[in-house]
Amino acid sequence: HIRCSRALGAQLTLPRAMGDRGPLSLQLTLLYEEVLYTILYRLGKPEHNHVGDAEELYAYVQKVSAHVPAGARASLQPLETCPLSPIFCLKATVKEAKGILGKDVSGFSDPYCLLGIESKSQELAHLENKKRQKAVVKDLIPEDQIHRTQVINQTLSPVWDETFILEFEDVETASFHLDMWDSDVVESVRHKLGELTDLHGLKRIFKDARKDKGQDDFLGNVVLRLKDLHCWDDQWHLLEPRTETYPNRGQCHLQFLLTHKKRTTMSSRTQPSYTVHRHLLQQLVSYEILQHQAGSTAWDGELSKHAITVLYLHATQKDLSDFHQVMAQWLAYSKLYQSLEFNSSCLLHQITSIEYQWVQERLRPEQKAELAESFQSLLTYGISLIRRYRIIFPLSVPRSTDRLQSLLRVLVQMCKMKAFRELCTLSLDLPEMVSEALKVPGARGSLSSQPQGAGTLRLSPPIFPLSNAHTSAFPPPKAGAFVHRDRPLALSDFHQWFKEAVPQWLQKAYTIALERTQRAVQMDQLMPFGEHNKHSTSTVDLSTCYAQIVKTWQQLNWPDPEEAFMIMVKLVEDMCKIAMMYCRLVKTRAEELSLREQNEGDAANRLCIVVNNIKQLRLLILKLPSQLDWAHLEQRTGAVINPEQIQHTLHNQLDSTISCLDHEIRDVVQALAVKVTSCHCPPSIMPLMKFLESELQYLNEHLVQENFKSLLGLLWHHTLDVLSAAAQQQVPSAQRYKNLELCFYAEGCGLPLETLHTAAFLSLETHLALCSTTSRKLIQKYFSNRIQQQLDTSSEKYGAVTIKVLYRPSEQKLRVEVLNAVNLIPLDSNGSSDPFVQLTLEPRHEFPEVVARTTQCKKNELHPLFDEAFDFLIPPEKCQQDGACLLLTVFDYDTLGTNDLEGEAFFPLSRVPGLNADEDQLDGGRVPQTRLPLTHPKPAGDEILRLLESRKGDKEAQAFVKLRKQRAKQSKEAA
């Protein structure tokens, strides 16, 4: 520890004397300084797979830093003073609790938590502190250092998920304290008797009568020494009692992270944390790779315990998110892969992690550009390796084919990433790029001269479909040869004579089948073909075309397995194209016939035939694998073609076509449901039921049963939508839904009751959602008006509140510091007030998961000093929404009644510093202070609130109006 401190102290003086050294030497020196600082000021217990000895870590760093300039290393001399230490922080998240005591008459509690850090002297730290653990937070920690969660009403399993930043000086003597309390609001005896459920509740009433009014009940506490915590700790903790009356008090789920603030290293002061961590990671990984190469062993991607420990400590001390750590790993590994030799499969983990956690808005523009450049660089480098694969991956070297396929797999997975598609705007066809790379001179010029075996063909890997560009030239056909003068003439490879004509035959077969399909659809009247069939004549002609193509394949019986596979690929591709073209033609034909006759009933009947035709076509497609005998083809080609390639070119293509046909069926069925209900669904219930009794019987007789059930479900949904739209001002009655259920249930022959109930519920939700869309726009307009009114006035009639606001895009975090309030109105009888500030993000429908936060209450103050900071995790695009604002409401705390309203202030989130700029330029004391005048609500004269109040069918609008009325009632302005 002393050696590390001295070395680091000397290192902090190095950048001033390095004017004669290059930028690379300076960067290595600064990284060396950063690592020493990280080890010196490490926090938390070591993980089980980490190195706990600081001296051992220091020795490892000395080896890694061999490239630090000799002059810089020679100047590492002891100093009289150690470098300035950072500010130690505990990032504590109170997540939830379970099994807590019920202190109220109802058997539940209204829990909240008080938490803070107690710092003791070294002498007290060694004394028995059992009595101190029994003391509550308010008795141990200064009031300005105590943090408080929200009150969760009437529960025994509260969920807070609130995060607090707690600073401390010495990890050896500091302890984390959390108390859980039941908030006690004074209620009338009549109200308590109304909640009485058992004899225990009656006992609680008598106990409350003996207790001081407004006194909260103790639920339990958690006391932890910080030196016993890991850098990152997440677990459940038992709530300890102060007495043995109720020893089992439940558990509390806490999450801790030990971090630094204001690190004094040159890198931390001049560069973003993410950039410093990436450079450090790249340096350590480079050292690990070189160590393995020196020992003649291939690096498998695993870092040593020393490297893992250093990187873990640095990431936690910098409070880097998992996503930014994975980003740093990808940039470092992908860059090193282009200069040092190691297995490309090491990159797959980073690809998977980025894909799983990818959110583009987390990154700043320069980070997006850096990531896009790494994608393009690796792709260019990988293609250059494939272009020279005979030299880089020679077949004479073991596992060369595996290494090449590993590289291809990395490139394929990278091009599939959402991050790649969003950041690399140029459309790239990776299979085509690989094909072109393989065709350049020197890459595949001598392919035909090598023995044609698995090692050659598999270089066109199963990741890409086999195409004509991947196959080598066929050898010339052999002429016939007389085996013996008195025996018949024996021909070998005679099929090669017809090879050039095969593509023309296949194209001719496709053209003829296409023309026959078009003529069949043009002649089709979309009427049932025969008494026992539900499809029309065009499907019969299409089935005949498919049968002839299958017969052609069977008669061809091409002997070369690889060429037979290519012919099969062409046949399947053509038949799938014909199927998709038929769907388009038959739907167009139905529209043409409907326009001629202008009969909505016949139009609906023709749609039934279209559905049945596509269903019949789907059955034809499903029979192709057995009719074309794919199993036998796979056996023949097993020696030269991978099963994955067959899966990709044949099975996947067929599955894709089936999926498209299913989509077409759903579209036509949905159009049929719309057409039926638009013709026959009046707003009144009786004509609708008469129509259903006749029309559903016809549809059941003329539709395939599976599609009829699908249509019935869509018809049920659409009918509910029609009734909901006809209701206009109110939700359709429950009796109407009941009558419709009986009709569609049809004594068990229709839809199941579970489906009907779910559909009715969804219809109601849809109706309410449509109502809420307009209401939400009105709510956003209300907040926009309040923001503008506050910006237009400078009056501080009700006082003012001063805040500092900063947004950190890299962490997606909004930080609000409530500094003070001034010139508040005295609302208590003693001529003063007990103010506190409540912070909420509005409108609530834009921030549904962000809980409100509250400052401490200041007793008998009209100019309170709060000086509290709060963090809100929100994406940047939410801040740009219309009306998005930070609402600060100042209340006067009232022990016996409702809190009085001192005033409220609105701060627009679109103007938050750091939202559209570099957060590093606004950090520290340079964040501007904002003084906001307090205003009072006047709902009676607000036009928007009157409009919202008139929307009786929208619960969200009514709840908002009720809240604003409650705020106006809390205001003492009239009094």
Side-chain angles (χ1 to χ4, degrees), residues 845-896:
H845 63 263
E846 292 292 347
F847 308 96
E849 298 179 356
V850 181
V851 298
R853 312 293 288 276
T854 305
T855 66
Q856 299 295 318
C857 180
K858 303 297 181 180
K859 299 292 185 180
N860 298 324
E861 286 282 353
L862 296 180
H863 306 278
L865 178 64
F866 297 104
D867 197 16
E868 298 185 40
F870 304 91
D871 290 332
F872 299 90
L873 297 176
I874 55 175
E877 65 273 8
K878 288 292 185 180
C879 298
Q880 305 289 354
Q881 297 290 340
D882 184 28
C885 64
L886 169 68
L887 173 58
L888 299 106
T889 310
V890 184
F891 289 102
D892 169 41
Y893 180 73
D894 194 342
T895 304
L896 299 178

Side-chain angles (χ1 to χ4, degrees), residues 549-590:
I549 293 176
V550 171
K551 186 176 181 180
T552 300
W553 162 257
Q554 295 172 348
Q555 292 177 340
L556 188 61
N557 193 22
W558 197 260
D560 186 281
E562 187 176 359
E563 296 172 16
F565 174 75
M566 295 300 302
I567 295 173
M568 176 61 72
V569 171
K570 173 64 175 172
L571 292 177
V572 173
E573 181 180 352
D574 290 345
M575 287 190 281
C576 291
K577 288 181 180 178
I578 293 172
M580 299 312 302
M581 185 214 60
Y582 175 80
C583 292
R584 179 175 55 83
L585 292 177
V586 75
K587 289 195 297 183
T588 304
R589 178 62 175 169

Side-chain angles (χ1 to χ4, degrees), residues 273-482:
S273 302
Y274 162 79
T275 304
V276 178
H277 187 75
R278 179 171 64 83
H279 289 160
L280 176 60
L281 174 65
Q282 187 168 326
Q283 187 68 19
L284 294 182
V285 173
S286 176
Y287 172 77
E288 295 283 336
I289 296 174
L290 293 175
Q291 286 295 108
H292 280 77
Q293 290 179 351
S296 301
T297 57
W299 188 60
D300 57 358
E302 291 293 330
L303 295 174
S304 65
K305 294 173 59 176
H306 302 81
I308 293 174
T309 304
V310 171
L311 292 171
Y312 177 80
L313 291 175
H314 189 263
T316 53
Q317 290 174 10
K318 290 273 192 175
D319 195 10
L320 280 178
S321 65
D322 292 340
F323 176 71
H324 283 88
Q325 292 183 52
V326 173
M327 282 280 299
Q329 292 174 15
W330 164 259
L331 293 173
Y333 279 53
S334 61
K335 184 175 182 179
L336 289 173
Y337 178 71
Q338 301 174 43
S339 57
L340 300 175
E341 183 179 355
F342 61 89
N343 194 340
S344 58
S345 61
C346 299
L347 301 171
L348 288 175
H349 172 71
Q350 286 79 31
I351 290 177
T352 305
S353 299
I354 293 177
E355 179 73 6
Y356 181 73
Q357 304 180 47
W358 172 250
V359 176
Q360 185 177 171
E361 287 71 18
R362 294 182 181 179
L363 303 180
R364 291 179 292 187
E366 60 270 19
Q367 292 175 333
K368 295 179 184 179
E370 191 176 34
L371 183 59
E373 193 277 333
S374 73
F375 289 151
Q376 188 62 47
S377 176
L378 183 63
L379 182 60
T380 303
Y381 180 74
I383 294 299
S384 69
L385 294 183
I386 295 173
R387 190 175 292 114
R388 297 173 295 145
Y389 78 89
R390 292 193 179 279
I391 301 173
I392 303 207
F393 306 104
L395 295 179
S396 58
V397 176
R399 300 185 60 82
S400 288
T401 304
D402 294 339
R403 290 170 51 223
L404 176 57
Q405 291 190 356
S406 175
L407 171 62
L408 291 170
R409 188 173 295 107
V410 168
L411 296 180
V412 169
Q413 294 301 324
M414 183 183 71
C415 293
K416 289 181 179 179
M417 296 170 63
K418 290 180 288 187
F420 184 90
R421 296 196 301 269
E422 294 178 14
L423 300 181
C424 300
T425 55
L426 296 178
S427 58
L428 300 173
D429 188 350
L430 184 58
E432 183 178 352
M433 294 175 65
V434 173
S435 300
E436 293 298 326
L438 290 173
K439 289 191 294 185
V440 299
R444 58 176 280 115
S446 59
L447 183 61
S448 59
S449 62
Q450 291 189 5
Q452 195 168 15
T456 304
L457 285 180
R458 291 179 190 273
L459 287 180
S460 175
I463 301 174
F464 303 108
L466 187 63
S467 63
N468 291 332
H470 295 144
T471 56
S472 60
F474 291 102
K478 297 179 182 180
F482 289 100

Side-chain angles (χ1 to χ4, degrees), residues 191-238:
H191 183 270
K192 291 184 177 181
L193 289 174
E195 295 183 349
L196 189 61
T197 58
D198 54 14
L199 184 59
H200 293 286
L202 187 59
K203 292 181 180 179
R204 292 191 187 98
I205 292 180
F206 289 116
K207 182 179 180 181
D208 291 343
R210 296 193 300 268
K211 158 175 97 168
D212 294 337
K213 296 298 182 182
Q215 181 180 348
D216 296 342
D217 293 315
F218 180 78
L219 296 177
N221 71 344
V222 176
V223 180
L224 301 170
R225 295 185 302 178
L226 296 192
K227 66 179 182 180
D228 295 334
L229 297 177
H230 295 279
C231 291
W232 186 87
D233 209 301
D234 186 346
Q235 57 182 310
W236 289 86
H237 298 272
L238 292 176

Side-chain angles (χ1 to χ4, degrees), residues 899-913:
N899 298 328
D900 299 323
L901 180 68
E902 290 278 2
E904 56 186 11
F906 301 84
F907 185 85
L909 296 183
S910 60
R911 302 187 182 184
V912 174

